[in-house]
């Protein structure tokens, strides 16, 4: 009986890991699709800039022209909930623990040190990220470059 149980347990664990990985791929794919406005399979600098502007507007819930850590956390939580089922979110907790906090993200782009992001600071930070992710320097992001860039961000 024990010999049959162990392979079943291992297969279940592997299946759970694959589903969790699939949820992550779907989340990154959703962001890619949102930014690839002309559906050509690449994100140009202008498409990225438009997506970043839309993202900033979504985060700035009080419409004061700045994004705080609390607003960024709220936006991120709503985006994750929209892109994942509750089951996927529970399976993905280990990945979430490795992500930068909103305060750290803001700190990395907050050039005037006021603890919040202006639209200009956010745009400049996103532009730098685009340049960093564009590893082949062709002025566009492929799915692979975007996925690699998202993994770099979550390890930071």
């Amino acid at each position: 009986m024990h010999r049959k149980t162990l392979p079943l347990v291992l297969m279940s664990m592997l299946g759970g890991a694959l589903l969790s990985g699939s949820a992550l791929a779907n989340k990154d794919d959703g962001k890619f699709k949102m930014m690839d406005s002309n559906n050509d399979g690449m994100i140009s600098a202008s498409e990225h800039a438009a997506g970043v502007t839309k993202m900033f507007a979504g985060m700035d819930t009080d419409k004061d022209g700045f994004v705080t850590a609390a607003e960024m956390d709220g936006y991120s939580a709503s985006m994750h909930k929209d892109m994942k089922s509750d089951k996927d979110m529970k399976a993905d907790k280990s990945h979430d623990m490795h992500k930068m906090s909103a305060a750290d993200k803001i700190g990395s782009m907050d050039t005037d040190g006021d603890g919040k992001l202006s639209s200009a600071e956010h745009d400049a930070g996103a532009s730098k990220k685009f340049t960093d992710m564009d590893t082949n320097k062709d002025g566009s992001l492929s799915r692979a470059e975007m996925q690699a860039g998202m993994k770099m961000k979550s390890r930071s």
Side-chain angles (χ1 to χ4, degrees):
M1 183 81 166
H2 187 289
R3 288 182 161 198
K4 291 181 182 178
T5 306
L6 183 59
L8 288 174
V9 169
L10 291 174
M11 286 174 50
S12 296
M13 290 171 61
L14 179 59
L18 290 173
L19 288 174
S20 176
S22 174
L24 293 175
N26 289 339
K27 179 185 76 123
D28 290 343
D29 194 50
K31 188 177 282 189
F32 189 92
K33 286 179 181 178
M34 184 271 294
M35 287 192 169
D36 182 17
S37 59
N38 65 0
N39 297 316
D40 68 350
M42 300 292 282
I43 298 173
S44 68
S46 61
E47 286 174 316
H48 188 262
V52 165
T53 298
K54 181 178 177 180
M55 198 176 302
F56 185 88
M59 287 188 289
D60 184 16
T61 55
D62 64 5
K63 305 301 177 204
D64 68 350
F66 296 94
V67 170
T68 64
E71 287 174 316
M72 189 178 281
D73 282 337
Y75 180 81
S76 181
S78 70
M79 292 300 291
H80 283 109
K81 188 168 184 142
D82 287 347
M83 291 183 190
K84 296 181 182 180
S85 70
D86 289 338
K87 182 179 178 182
D88 292 336
M89 290 180 80
K90 289 174 185 167
D92 193 24
K93 287 200 186 288
S94 64
H95 177 73
D96 288 342
M97 292 189 309
H98 299 291
K99 289 186 176 182
M100 286 176 73
S101 71
D104 288 340
K105 288 177 189 176
I106 288 174
S108 72
M109 295 184 276
D110 181 17
T111 56
D112 65 8
D114 65 357
K116 55 188 177 182
L117 283 182
S118 67
S119 177
E121 289 170 326
H122 188 257
D123 291 350
S127 178
K128 180 184 179 329
K129 184 67 176 176
F130 179 90
T131 300
D132 292 347
M133 288 190 299
D134 184 16
T135 55
N136 67 0
K137 305 302 178 204
D138 68 351
S140 295
L141 298 179
S142 66
R143 285 183 194 278
E145 287 172 317
M146 181 94 162
Q147 288 173 342
M150 293 294 113
K151 287 177 185 173
M152 285 188 319
K153 178 177 87 171
S154 66
R155 284 190 213 138
S156 302

